[in-house]
Amino acid sequence: MWWMMSNEGGHYCSKKSDDVCGDVCGQESTQALGLSRLRCILRGIDLKTFIFLFAFVPTLVFGIYVHGQKISYFLRPLWESPPKPFHEIPHYYNENVTMERLCKLHGWGIREYPRRVYDAVLFSNELDILNIRWKELYPYITQFVLLESNSTFTGKAKPLVFASNRDQFKFADPRLTYGTIGGRFKKGENPFVEEAFQRVALDQLLKIAGITDDDLLIMSDVDEIPSRHTINLLRWCDDIPPVLHLRLRNYLYSFEFLVDNNSWRASVHRYQTGKTRYVHYRQSDIILADSGWHCSFCFRRISEFIFKIKAYSHFDRVRFSYFLNPKRIQKVICKGSDLFDMIPEEYTFKEIIGKMGPVPHSFSAVHLPSYLLDNADKYKFLLPGNCVRESG
């Protein structure tokens, strides 16, 4: 190596006789020096590295952007443990068995008279499912309690759908406590905050409805429907648990697509003033088997699917605008696929892999709500073999 001084500025630079990059001596401009170094680097990169940098890496980034949520859900068993198992109570029922015998089979006594029952729901736009629910439960309900907001959980304005269609529910009017609540319309807020706000308001509406200690309170979403005989059993039997979750058959889009039997959020409470709060999460370790139906996204019209997708608490799952395309939604319904193109929300790789892909078609319409079968022409879209929805 030898040293030389430039003619101007007294700057020094070094030079090797075997320098593969050539002489950069005299390059006083920072920009020129930077470009020379870049050329040095590029000369040392072979074709495979170029392909990796400019083809594979962008493809990988794009794949993570598109499928990142799937990857996260698939790896869920690595970062989240399964919840504590429920203590499951076997469910005994036959229409020809006496109530006294049924209570005894469950390990409970029989009451002299049945408890009063309150069915309380937050309502969005599920008119068909609400009708089926109330018709199923009507013989044993003391008071239907329904709260409706002019806001979705995601803070979007919505019409008062129930108020506009109340004539459909005249049969329930004598037993109905209906209330409305104004939304707060806070942009960017977590949707679960608005949902919790509305559930607190439902607590107050229950008091207006006249609920008292030891009355039964059904806590469930509109589409989580306890069977009629389940509620009759619980109102007649003594010594039932203070809080009892209900295991429901889990359906998607209609009663054609049976996902599993693992819907558990619905619950029945023996009401306690100052203690019972209307929520929608796990509150007990005890669950009663085969207690009804959960029919998720069971709508008559494609427009109702789109409204629900935009409105409910998991709107973050709508990652791409084409998820709201009516033709895509119709195709997904008939196939039994996931509206949000998601991996199943399970806690073991075995369960995740077992549930991947479309939900298998079921051709059984046995043990469904009686009102649904009595009005099969009206609710044809909920029965096997009728996946096409109205476009309006």
Side-chain angles (χ1 to χ4, degrees), residues 31 77 127 136 139 219 298 310 337 374 382:
Q31 182 178 7
L127 288 171
E136 173 70 15
M219 290 188 192
C298 290
K310 292 180 177 179
S337 301
D374 283 339
L382 291 176

Tab-separated table of all heavy atoms in Angstrom, residues 31 77 127 136 139 219 298 310 337 374 382:
chain	number	residue	atom	x	y	z
A	31	GLN	N	-21.325	11.643	-2.601
A	31	GLN	CA	-22.240	10.886	-3.452
A	31	GLN	C	-21.478	9.948	-4.381
A	31	GLN	O	-21.828	8.774	-4.540
A	31	GLN	CB	-23.098	11.850	-4.281
A	31	GLN	CG	-24.117	11.138	-5.175
A	31	GLN	CD	-24.971	12.126	-5.951
A	31	GLN	OE1	-24.721	13.310	-5.911
A	31	GLN	NE2	-25.963	11.623	-6.637
A	77	PRO	N	-51.674	-23.014	18.980
A	77	PRO	CA	-51.302	-23.962	20.042
A	77	PRO	C	-49.938	-23.688	20.665
A	77	PRO	O	-49.663	-24.159	21.772
A	77	PRO	CB	-51.306	-25.313	19.308
A	77	PRO	CG	-52.260	-25.131	18.166
A	77	PRO	CD	-52.047	-23.717	17.730
A	127	LEU	N	-83.901	-10.576	12.370
A	127	LEU	CA	-85.354	-10.706	12.494
A	127	LEU	C	-85.826	-12.157	12.399
A	127	LEU	O	-86.658	-12.604	13.200
A	127	LEU	CB	-86.050	-9.864	11.415
A	127	LEU	CG	-85.994	-8.347	11.610
A	127	LEU	CD1	-86.529	-7.643	10.365
A	127	LEU	CD2	-86.799	-7.932	12.830
A	136	GLU	N	-89.872	-20.604	19.831
A	136	GLU	CA	-89.379	-21.790	20.519
A	136	GLU	C	-89.549	-21.666	22.037
A	136	GLU	O	-89.979	-22.609	22.716
A	136	GLU	CB	-87.897	-22.024	20.171
A	136	GLU	CG	-87.211	-23.137	20.948
A	136	GLU	CD	-87.672	-24.540	20.582
A	136	GLU	OE1	-88.317	-24.700	19.528
A	136	GLU	OE2	-87.396	-25.477	21.362
A	139	PRO	N	-93.648	-20.604	25.288
A	139	PRO	CA	-94.491	-21.210	26.337
A	139	PRO	C	-93.953	-21.038	27.750
A	139	PRO	O	-94.722	-21.106	28.712
A	139	PRO	CB	-94.528	-22.697	25.937
A	139	PRO	CG	-94.222	-22.710	24.480
A	139	PRO	CD	-93.250	-21.601	24.278
A	219	MET	N	-78.923	-15.684	29.311
A	219	MET	CA	-77.953	-14.761	28.724
A	219	MET	C	-77.400	-15.402	27.460
A	219	MET	O	-76.628	-16.361	27.536
A	219	MET	CB	-76.802	-14.482	29.688
A	219	MET	CG	-77.135	-13.671	30.906
A	219	MET	SD	-75.615	-13.249	31.805
A	219	MET	CE	-76.328	-12.631	33.342
A	298	CYS	N	-76.942	-16.789	10.027
A	298	CYS	CA	-78.086	-17.466	9.407
A	298	CYS	C	-79.089	-16.429	8.916
A	298	CYS	O	-80.161	-16.225	9.520
A	298	CYS	CB	-78.719	-18.440	10.401
A	298	CYS	SG	-77.673	-19.874	10.731
A	310	LYS	N	-69.930	-5.875	8.725
A	310	LYS	CA	-69.465	-4.529	9.047
A	310	LYS	C	-69.754	-4.127	10.488
A	310	LYS	O	-69.065	-3.287	11.058
A	310	LYS	CB	-70.127	-3.506	8.110
A	310	LYS	CG	-69.699	-3.603	6.657
A	310	LYS	CD	-70.429	-2.547	5.842
A	310	LYS	CE	-69.993	-2.552	4.388
A	310	LYS	NZ	-70.732	-1.525	3.599
A	337	SER	N	-67.738	-22.545	3.363
A	337	SER	CA	-66.409	-22.037	3.709
A	337	SER	C	-66.511	-20.874	4.695
A	337	SER	O	-67.613	-20.407	5.010
A	337	SER	CB	-65.666	-21.588	2.448
A	337	SER	OG	-65.521	-22.658	1.541
A	374	ASP	N	-92.498	-26.228	11.266
A	374	ASP	CA	-93.913	-25.909	10.994
A	374	ASP	C	-94.050	-24.841	9.922
A	374	ASP	O	-95.111	-24.729	9.288
A	374	ASP	CB	-94.604	-25.434	12.277
A	374	ASP	CG	-94.941	-26.580	13.211
A	374	ASP	OD1	-95.011	-27.730	12.731
A	374	ASP	OD2	-95.112	-26.335	14.418
A	382	LEU	N	-83.040	-21.864	5.644
A	382	LEU	CA	-82.324	-22.389	6.805
A	382	LEU	C	-82.244	-23.915	6.810
A	382	LEU	O	-81.610	-24.492	7.682
A	382	LEU	CB	-82.995	-21.913	8.095
A	382	LEU	CG	-82.881	-20.421	8.413
A	382	LEU	CD1	-83.677	-20.085	9.668
A	382	LEU	CD2	-81.412	-20.013	8.583
